[in-house]
């Protein structure tokens, strides 16, 4: 499994992406497979106006951010988690369990911590989920995310072993990542286009 966190500041924008059709209608049957309390409103499954449910879900996720009372830079934590294409298709329950393990490893919602951050895991394809969280905890402190990628990678290695999935731990090493050719950045692409 592979996963890398993204940070942002627009909860509703991230939710619209997760529950929308995607850039090429690749999102099918978007629905929540796990959440901080198990009762989060699900725009993919709840009857009614999807836009109103998205706003309700945003308000629920952002509750502690609003209560915090001070601006929080990049309060949205978004982590896609993808299985290898050759792996078996995991059930919603399996993805839900995996999501809970990842948010615990990342320190978003550690096991047994009643003050953890609010989060959801959305599945809109067979091979991956997206974890979306806000980084302010119920005790109005910010989650300690430093080193989250290393902790999550260790957890993914355990998940692969337990679920008998393809072992991708060698692709999570610093040496492997450093050997991947870097993609051109926006300015480099514009210059290349300009120069033909």
């Amino acid at each position: 499994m592979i996963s890398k966190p993204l940070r942002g500041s627009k909860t509703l924008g991230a939710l619209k992406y997760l529950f929308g059709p995607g850039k090429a209608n690749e999102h099918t049957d978007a629905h929540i497979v796990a959440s901080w309390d198990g009762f989060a409103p699900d725009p993919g499954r709840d009857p009614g106006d999807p836009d109103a449910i998205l706003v309700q879900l945003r308000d629920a996720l952002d509750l502690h951010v609003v209560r915090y009372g001070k601006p929080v830079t990049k309060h949205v934590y978004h982590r896609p988690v993808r299985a290898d294409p050759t792996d078996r298709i995991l059930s919603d329950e399996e993805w839900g369990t995996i999501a809970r393990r990842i948010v615990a490893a990342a320190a978003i919602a550690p096991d047994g911590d009643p003050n953890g951050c609010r989060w959801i895991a959305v599945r809109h394809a067979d091979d991956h989920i997206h974890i979306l969280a806000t980084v302010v905890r119920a005790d109005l402190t910010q989650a300690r995310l430093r080193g989250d990628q290393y902790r999550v990678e260790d957890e993914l290695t355990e998940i692969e072993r337990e679920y008998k999935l393809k072992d991708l731990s060698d692709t999570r090493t610093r040496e492997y990542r450093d050997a991947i050719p870097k993609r051109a950045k926006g300015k480099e692409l514009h210059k290349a286009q300009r120069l033909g």
Side-chain angles (χ1 to χ4, degrees), residues 6-11 14 74-78 132-135:
L6 308 164
R7 297 292 297 272
S9 58
K10 295 183 178 159
T11 309
K74 297 192 175 185
H75 70 275
V76 176
Y77 180 91
H78 177 188
L132 185 69
T134 51
V135 299

Side-chain angles (χ1 to χ4, degrees), residues 46-127:
D46 291 348
D49 179 12
D51 290 333
I53 297 169
L54 279 174
V55 169
Q56 182 184 10
L57 181 55
R58 185 238 9 232
D59 292 347
L61 285 166
D62 281 349
L63 176 68
H64 303 310
V65 176
V66 172
R67 287 181 55 228
Y68 189 67
K70 298 178 269 189
V72 181
T73 305
K74 297 192 175 185
H75 70 275
V76 176
Y77 180 91
H78 177 188
R79 180 179 280 280
V81 182
R82 183 176 301 276
D84 189 76
T86 62
D87 285 335
R88 66 182 173 84
I89 295 176
L90 299 168
S91 69
D92 283 352
E93 293 76 23
E94 289 172 316
W95 275 120
T97 300
I98 290 167
R100 283 185 279 281
R101 289 177 66 173
I102 290 172
V103 295
I108 292 292
D111 288 333
D113 183 355
N115 291 316
C117 299
R118 291 188 168 205
W119 62 275
I120 59 170
V122 177
R123 181 178 188 182
H124 57 207
D126 286 339
D127 65 345

